[in-house]
Amino acid sequence: MKLEVLVSKEKLEQIVTDLGRRITEDYKGKELVLVGVLKGGFIFLADLARKIDMDVKIDFISVSSYGNSTESSGVVRIIKDIESDVSGKHVLIVEDLIDTGLTLQYLKDLFNTKGCASVKLAAVMDKPDRRKVDLKVDYVGIEIPDEFVVGYGLDYAEKYRNLPEVYIVRET
Ligand code: IMP
Ligand code: MG
C-alpha cells in the first residue's frame, strides 16, 4: 500500500481558517454548539474550534457506518450520543468527509428532532461523485475525487488518523 499526498498541511490550514472565519461571521451573537462526529471528525473539530472567534460549546457524537472496509454499509449506528441539551441552540455538525451523505443525512434528521434553533453541516472534504442522497452541506472545505483517503482524522482499519495531511491510498 502506498500513500500519496492529496491535501497538504498548508492547504488544510487555509481551509480551516477560512471556514472558521465564515462560521464566526454567520453565528455572531448566537449560541453555537459544535458537535464533532467521532472518530474521524476529532482533528477537524479541534482545529476549527480554534479558528472560531466567539464562545462555542463542544460536544461529540460517535457513529459507525463503515466497519473496517472501504465501502459504506449504509447502516448508521449511534455508539455514543451527545451529552448536552441542544434544544434552542444552534448546532453545527462537524464531520471529516462526506461521501454517500448517508451519515450526515441521518445526523441532520436526528438533530432536527431535538428542537435545535438550527442544524447545519460542516465537512473538511466532500466527494460529490459518491453522493446517494440530496444533502446540502453548509460548510465544505474542499471537493476531492472518488478515491479512498486517510489522514487528518480519517482511517483505514483504524490506522493513519494521526497523519497531518490527507493521502490517497494506493493499493500496490
Ligand atoms: P457517508 O455516510 O458515506 O457520507 O460516509 C461518511 C463517513 O465514511 C465519513 O465520515 C468517513 O468517516 C467515512 N469515509 C468515507 N470515505 C472515506 C475515505 O475515503 N476514507 C476514510 N473514511 C471514509
Ligand atoms: Mg466519519
Side-chain angles (χ1 to χ4, degrees):
M1 215 168 88
K2 225 182 72 199
L3 302 182
E4 184 184 306
V5 177
L6 178 67
V7 191
S8 69
K9 241 190 241 181
E10 293 72 26
K11 182 68 188 171
L12 285 165
E13 160 89 24
Q14 183 205 322
I15 286 169
V16 177
T17 303
D18 288 349
L19 290 178
R21 205 173 286 142
R22 275 177 59 198
I23 290 165
T24 305
E25 274 172 29
D26 294 352
Y27 287 93
K28 212 173 285 163
K30 295 182 176 160
E31 265 192 280
L32 176 61
V33 184
L34 301 177
V35 176
V37 183
L38 296 173
K39 302 175 196 166
F42 82 112
I43 291 191
F44 177 39
L45 184 132
D47 283 351
L48 183 66
R50 285 175 286 180
K51 298 292 184 187
I52 297 177
D53 187 19
M54 55 181 264
D55 290 336
V56 293
K57 289 187 175 155
I58 311 273
D59 210 327
F60 290 98
I61 192 164
S62 179
V63 299
S64 159
S65 57
Y66 265 51
N68 282 345
S69 93
T70 58
E71 274 303 307
S72 176
S73 65
V75 178
V76 180
R77 198 158 51 94
I78 302 263
I79 294 166
K80 178 214 166 292
D81 206 346
I82 54 164
E83 288 163 16
S84 46
D85 178 8
V86 289
S87 66
K89 309 269 167 61
H90 294 271
V91 165
L92 181 60
I93 301 174
V94 180
E95 172 67 301
D96 46 19
L97 185 153
I98 174 166
D99 186 44
T100 62
L102 291 167
T103 307
L104 281 180
Q105 179 70 66
Y106 176 87
L107 289 175
K108 187 159 194 189
D109 293 346
L110 176 75
F111 278 90
N112 276 328
T113 67
K114 292 182 189 269
C116 307
S118 70
V119 181
K120 287 192 180 180
L121 308 174
V124 189
M125 285 167 282
D126 183 10
K127 288 184 193 170
D129 298 344
R130 297 263 306 166
R131 198 75 84 256
K132 285 187 184 159
V133 288
D134 181 26
L135 180 67
K136 176 179 166 234
V137 184
D138 306 275
Y139 302 96
V140 175
I142 186 173
E143 291 193 353
I144 63 168
D146 179 10
E147 302 267 12
F148 195 81
V149 293
V150 296
Y152 202 68
L154 288 156
D155 74 306
Y156 175 70
E158 291 303 325
K159 258 176 84 179
Y160 309 123
R161 292 192 194 276
N162 59 321
L163 298 180
E165 313 192 83
V166 176
Y167 301 83
I168 295 177
V169 177
R170 299 263 182 233
E171 302 292 347
T172 46

